[in-house]
Amino acid sequence: MAQGTQQKALVMLVSEVIGGKASLAELEVALVIARQGLESMQEEWEETVDNLAAEAQEKCEDIIEQIQTTFGLFRHGLDLLGIAVENRRTEELFQGGELVRRCSYQLDVLFSMYRNVALLAQGPTDIPGLNLLIRTLEAVRSNQTPMQTFLSVVNAERLTTLKSLDDLAEAPEEGEYGAVRRAFDDHLRCMNRLARAIEANDDSLVDEEMKKADKTFRYLQELLPLASLRARTSGPTKSQLVNLVIHMAYDVAQGACHQDLLLEHLETLKKDILPLATAVKAAAPVASVMMQQEASRAVAALKGYEEAIQGFEQFFETRDVLLLQAASNRLHESADELHACWETLQNLADREGKVCCLRCNFYNSPDRRNCAKCGGALPVLVEKSTSTSTFSVESEGVQPAAEEPVSSSNLERMYKAVDAIRARTLSREEFEAELTWFEGLIDLQEKSVGKAPETSLDGLSDEEREEAVKRAELVRETEQAFQGGIQDWREAIQEWRNYLDTGQRELRLLEHGKELCDQGARKLLSLALASQAAASAGESE
């Protein structure tokens, strides 16, 4: 099967011709070599089939048929490339090149499956690689094959194990990956000792190492399925099941696994969506405007899940790989969107009804008078505010109770702009204009509050001096809290601008900006209400 590398080189050359980096003349020469290589590959493979025992041939029957079909498709792909070269039409190369690429990949997979099934059928164990060692050693000792052949088989296993260790080089040390790496390392050591025993022509030592090889093979057989599952369930989303479906869809598109496995996981995904949809709908009717918006987006993301599943089902009917890729992409996007919405919903739910500390920004339960984190005094919230702030809550008809997130027409306008750019119904220029408008309002808000004058302590009694220091400290803390709220708003604008720079994949920046904006609004509202309460208390005295 050494011609496989030649076929891969052809696929690369086709890509270079399409990209204008190679000529049709070069491809014409490569096609002649590729046809010869394909014929040689098929002859070599058919010879191995003829040498199989009747029982092994029967067990490999389905795979043998698939390999023969793939060889035929491969030739058809080469013919399409030949026609494109003959007509000097570069744009026609894609179809033939894509067919050759897929057939080359499928032959690799099918040859591996064929080898394993054939070796498995030969026995005596359920591990193909171990069977190859055992049967080759038996042939050596019955004088059917030279010892050098056995050494070649052992060396091939050593190379395979080294490649597996290289593939695991970047994997984490802990968990399944670490265990698999250690198991491969032990197996390689065993194969190295076995090779030295063969070279020393020490039969007793060879038998001893073969017994150890039986153990290392079996341990790897136990660990590899767990590691494989871990690899398929990690990345690119936060959902292990979605990751598994995406990986399975890729394998199905490449012809590396049967679609029944993908169907099975899709059924599980459908069942998992139902309780999640129920939980999201339960969160939707709450009074919080921001929570309603996030719940609506989560419902839309769940709709995306359904559309992705429908795309997979259409693929099963049409076998159109483009539909499979589109369904995978839709599922990926929906999973990212749903995770972002769900995290925001949880954060908002955790902050509902809580009071923000003006010193450390920690959210406290409404029954506390001092911050649970820094010990600072918490603002006392009242029912209404008569603040004339640019972001006045009362002037917009919104009740400033502690249970409600801060909202005003100006904030609502900004949140709607964020939602629109997220839904791609607002252009980059329009969103930038909204950010500039919001930034102008923040500048006006900041300028409307002047810096407090310095307090003179000259001529004051000790009691008056102590009272003046307390007032000055309160003024300083108030100024810091005000600037903290303004800073949160400015950081929110910066996050939204960062989103414009990083593109559609960084949706978390939009959500983080909204969280910062709400945090700043809460600080300023708490400050306004605390000031109002203090003024009311002064009047009553």
Side-chain angles (χ1 to χ4, degrees), residues 390-500:
T390 305
F391 294 91
S392 168
V393 175
E394 183 188 11
S395 64
E396 305 298 342
V398 180
Q399 295 297 322
E403 295 78 23
E404 292 289 337
V406 178
S407 181
S408 71
S409 62
N410 291 324
L411 292 174
E412 284 297 319
R413 173 176 168 178
M414 197 62 243
Y415 292 153
K416 286 179 180 178
V418 172
D419 294 342
I421 192 70
R422 181 177 189 164
R424 305 182 188 182
T425 59
L426 193 70
S427 69
R428 178 190 179 97
E429 293 72 20
E430 290 171 327
F431 187 58
E432 182 63 50
E434 290 297 292
L435 292 178
T436 302
W437 162 80
F438 189 51
E439 200 167 31
L441 289 182
I442 295 173
D443 291 339
L444 288 175
Q445 177 81 357
E446 191 170 20
K447 291 176 182 177
S448 68
V449 179
K451 188 174 180 62
E454 293 291 333
T455 302
S456 175
L457 302 179
D458 296 339
L460 298 179
S461 64
D462 291 343
E463 184 176 346
E464 290 172 334
R465 185 186 298 269
E466 183 180 350
E467 184 64 27
V469 169
K470 287 182 179 179
R471 285 198 303 271
E473 178 64 19
L474 180 60
V475 168
R476 186 184 66 80
E477 289 185 1
T478 300
E479 287 180 345
Q480 288 179 346
F482 176 79
Q483 289 301 325
I486 294 294
Q487 183 60 30
D488 285 339
W489 278 342
R490 295 198 185 282
E491 289 179 5
I493 291 176
Q494 186 57 52
E495 285 289 79
W496 291 329
R497 286 202 166 109
N498 289 341
Y499 169 79
L500 293 178

Side-chain angles (χ1 to χ4, degrees), residues 348-403:
L348 291 172
D350 185 59
R351 285 158 49 178
E352 288 288 294
K354 294 186 177 181
V355 181
C356 180
C357 174
L358 301 180
R359 283 183 175 177
C360 69
N361 300 332
F362 183 75
Y363 283 88
N364 295 265
S365 58
D367 58 339
R368 294 190 64 89
R369 293 188 177 275
N370 293 87
C371 178
K373 184 176 181 180
C374 71
L378 294 175
V380 180
L381 302 184
V382 296
E383 290 300 317
K384 291 185 179 181
S385 168
T386 56
S387 167
T388 57
S389 163
T390 305
F391 294 91
S392 168
V393 175
E394 183 188 11
S395 64
E396 305 298 342
V398 180
Q399 295 297 322
E403 295 78 23

Side-chain angles (χ1 to χ4, degrees), residues 76-148:
H76 181 57
L78 293 177
D79 289 342
L80 291 175
L81 289 174
I83 293 171
V85 170
E86 185 178 346
N87 295 334
R88 297 293 187 234
R89 294 178 65 91
T90 305
E91 62 273 16
E92 294 178 355
L93 291 173
F94 180 80
Q95 185 180 1
E98 178 63 15
L99 185 55
V100 167
R101 183 193 67 79
R102 290 185 62 190
C103 288
S104 178
Y105 177 87
Q106 288 176 357
L107 280 177
D108 281 347
V109 174
L110 289 169
F111 284 149
S112 178
M113 292 171 61
Y114 165 74
R115 171 188 178 278
N116 289 339
V117 172
L119 289 171
L120 198 60
Q122 292 178 21
T125 75
D126 59 348
I127 304 173
L130 180 57
N131 287 346
L132 181 59
L133 288 178
I134 293 172
R135 292 306 187 194
T136 306
L137 182 57
E138 288 176 352
V140 169
R141 289 181 173 172
S142 63
N143 296 319
Q144 296 176 17
T145 190
M147 181 62 80
Q148 187 62 35

Side-chain angles (χ1 to χ4, degrees), residues 244-300:
L244 186 57
V245 169
I246 291 173
H247 283 298
M248 282 288 180
Y250 176 80
D251 288 344
V252 169
Q254 298 292 333
C257 79
H258 198 276
Q259 70 178 39
D260 287 352
L261 288 172
L262 178 58
L263 275 168
E264 180 182 335
H265 293 303
L266 282 173
E267 288 300 319
T268 305
L269 185 63
K270 288 180 186 178
K271 293 175 183 177
D272 280 14
I273 288 176
L274 292 176
L276 191 57
T278 302
V280 169
K281 289 175 182 176
V286 297
S288 165
V289 174
M290 289 186 69
M291 289 189 74
Q292 285 178 349
Q293 291 175 338
E294 289 304 315
S296 297
R297 275 195 290 271
V299 169

